[in-house]
Amino acid sequence: MQINYIGFLCYKATIMRCSQPLSGFSAHCLEDEQLLHCIRKTNPTHSSAPLCIVDTRPAVNSAVCRVTVTGSENANIYSDFKFVFLSIENIHVMRDSLHKLVEVCELREPSVEEFLAALQSSGWLKHIKSIVDTSAFIATTVGDEGVSVLVQCSDGGDIAAQVCSLASLLLDPFYRTLQGFMILVEKEWLSFGHKFTDRCGYLQGDQKETSPIFTQFIEAVWQVMQQFPCAFQFNERFLLAVHDHAFSCQFGTFIGNCEKDRVDLRLSERTYSLWGYLLKHMGEFINPLYRREDSQLGVLRPVSNPQNIKFWRGMYMRFEGWVHPKESVMERLCIMKDQSSSLEDHIKLVAKRTPPSMTS
């Protein structure tokens, strides 16, 4: 079991992630047990409290995997640990769900009933809700209870990346800034080895390896932004830019399945970084509603009732064939803010040029 750590000094607890253990029905690893027991004892206010092990898979899936000598830890061996199964589907279910969502978006002039029925049939919003729910559970366990959490999925680089990074964003206001979000993606997705080349389908290979894992993470962030519009320094356009360039290959940032791939391809020498481009155009990505004091409120607790999970029209229907792209309210606010700032600068300039005798 290889465990990656994410520490939160303000809560004195950690979020950890790993792939599924090779336990089978009876095998176990003494080193793993000792490591997890040591981590459990570091819980700051509850040294005797059980370490929380979050398995993102449905319990049935985990049980089936144990037949192939993988699966999950034996609860009898880890008797002083708390096991939670949070039922996020695998990459293949997510891929099929996206295909159905695309079909929904391609419907020509559907009725309200047809559109809503097709959207529900795709299961897409249900999957987004599961990711938000799991991330909120992790953030609450770390932030409110001061208990460390170990998150595991099949390979540690897909669903675990989604929920650990979103939980980090809920916990730490730094990750809700432009620079912080870039660091979060670098740390949780690129450094920890999310397989962007395979999952995004850059090359003509096994289509069963493609899956919208990063797309779902970006959308989950957007869903949280809808509930806390003043807590994020960046806007919707920023999320769309990060998402689109993860697939465009215009920059070398996301190319490769791991850091070794990027080093072997010498991408730092042969390509440009997406982060440099985004920072250069930072003015386009600032949220005009952002207030630093709102971002310091502590753990964000999104409500994931069905009525709070929205269809992201700005992502999936940006370019409807029969109309021009819509200008969002946020874009209009950005324009108005720029115009107001320009007028204020002009007033100051006029005031400086006006002789004192004319102002008296």
Side-chain angles (χ1 to χ4, degrees):
M1 178 191 298
Q2 179 180 356
I3 299 179
N4 298 309
Y5 295 86
I6 312 162
F8 288 93
L9 295 178
C10 53
Y11 301 109
K12 298 182 181 179
T14 59
I15 298 175
M16 300 154 284
R17 52 193 275 198
C18 68
S19 58
Q20 60 186 352
L22 303 177
S23 58
F25 283 106
S26 58
H28 60 95
C29 176
L30 181 60
E31 290 79 4
D32 284 354
E33 295 174 35
Q34 293 174 340
L35 175 60
L36 292 180
H37 279 290
C38 288
I39 295 171
R40 181 183 62 80
K41 292 178 181 179
T42 64
N43 286 334
T45 56
H46 308 282
S47 59
S48 60
L51 176 72
C52 184
I53 299 180
V54 172
D55 196 318
T56 61
R57 300 165 296 176
V60 174
N61 292 20
S62 178
V64 170
C65 287
R66 296 187 70 179
V67 177
T68 60
V69 200
T70 55
S72 61
E73 291 82 356
N74 190 325
N76 295 325
I77 297 174
Y78 295 89
S79 57
D80 51 352
F81 289 72
K82 177 184 178 182
F83 289 85
V84 180
F85 292 90
L86 290 172
S87 302
I88 300 178
E89 298 293 348
N90 60 41
I91 64 172
H92 311 295
V93 174
M94 300 303 189
R95 180 179 60 249
D96 294 340
S97 180
L98 179 63
H99 290 165
K100 293 178 181 178
L101 179 67
V102 172
E103 293 175 357
V104 173
C105 298
E106 291 177 346
L107 293 173
R108 297 290 290 179
E109 300 184 9
S111 66
V112 174
E113 292 79 7
E114 290 173 336
F115 180 83
L116 293 178
L119 182 61
Q120 181 178 2
S121 178
S122 73
W124 184 257
L125 295 183
K126 179 187 73 173
H127 299 317
I128 298 297
K129 180 182 184 301
S130 298
I131 294 167
V132 174
D133 283 339
T134 302
S135 304
F137 173 82
I138 295 169
T140 300
T141 303
V142 172
D144 293 348
E145 301 175 21
V147 174
S148 296
V149 176
L150 172 63
V151 181
Q152 64 183 25
C153 66
S154 297
D155 68 357
D158 291 316
I159 308 302
Q162 291 177 329
V163 298
C164 288
S165 49
L166 186 60
S168 301
L169 183 141
L170 296 177
L171 283 164
D172 194 337
F174 173 68
Y175 293 130
R176 301 194 287 270
T177 65
L178 277 160
Q179 184 179 11
F181 190 83
M182 297 176 194
I183 291 174
L184 182 67
V185 172
E186 276 284 343
K187 177 167 66 75
E188 290 297 313
W189 294 84
L190 297 169
S191 296
F192 280 176
H194 178 67
K195 299 191 288 186
F196 278 99
T197 293
D198 288 349
R199 297 294 182 256
C200 297
Y202 296 155
L203 304 174
Q204 187 173 2
D206 186 359
Q207 291 301 305
K208 291 183 179 179
E209 287 295 307
T210 62
S211 190
I213 300 300
F214 191 65
T215 298
Q216 289 182 317
F217 164 66
I218 294 294
E219 176 166 349
V221 174
W222 179 83
Q223 297 285 352
V224 176
M225 286 175 62
Q226 302 312 294
Q227 298 187 34
F228 302 95
C230 300
F232 291 81
Q233 186 186 27
F234 49 84
N235 57 20
E236 179 186 44
R237 181 180 291 181
F238 174 76
L239 291 179
L240 291 173
V242 173
H243 174 270
D244 291 352
H245 285 299
F247 289 86
S248 72
C249 295
Q250 286 183 271
F251 301 90
T253 304
F254 295 102
I255 295 174
N257 283 328
C258 61
E259 191 62 31
K260 182 180 183 301
D261 287 353
R262 287 182 278 276
V263 171
D264 291 345
L265 292 170
R266 295 188 296 118
L267 294 179
S268 61
E269 305 171 24
R270 302 166 61 189
T271 66
Y272 291 98
S273 170
L274 171 63
W275 310 134
Y277 167 81
L278 295 178
L279 289 173
K280 185 177 179 180
H281 298 83
M282 183 184 294
E284 300 177 20
F285 305 122
I286 295 295
N287 173 16
L289 300 179
Y290 176 66
R291 294 189 299 182
R292 185 179 295 274
E293 57 272 21
D294 281 15
S295 70
Q296 305 294 330
L297 295 177
V299 182
L300 297 185
R301 295 175 175 80
V303 178
S304 61
N305 295 334
Q307 61 268 30
N308 292 99
I309 304 298
K310 305 176 181 178
F311 172 71
W312 191 3
R313 182 187 173 282
M315 167 75 89
Y316 304 109
M317 302 192 76
R318 273 181 279 176
F319 303 104
E320 298 165 284
W322 59 92
V323 293
H324 293 291
K326 304 291 194 306
E327 182 180 59
S328 68
V329 174
M330 197 62 66
E331 289 178 347
R332 173 48 56 184
L333 280 174
C334 289
I335 294 172
M336 292 175 65
K337 184 177 180 180
D338 290 342
Q339 291 174 341
S340 297
S341 178
S342 178
L343 287 172
E344 289 174 0
D345 291 341
H346 185 68
I347 291 172
K348 292 178 182 178
L349 180 62
V350 171
K352 288 181 179 179
R353 292 180 176 178
T354 302
S357 59
M358 294 184 64
T359 58
S360 58

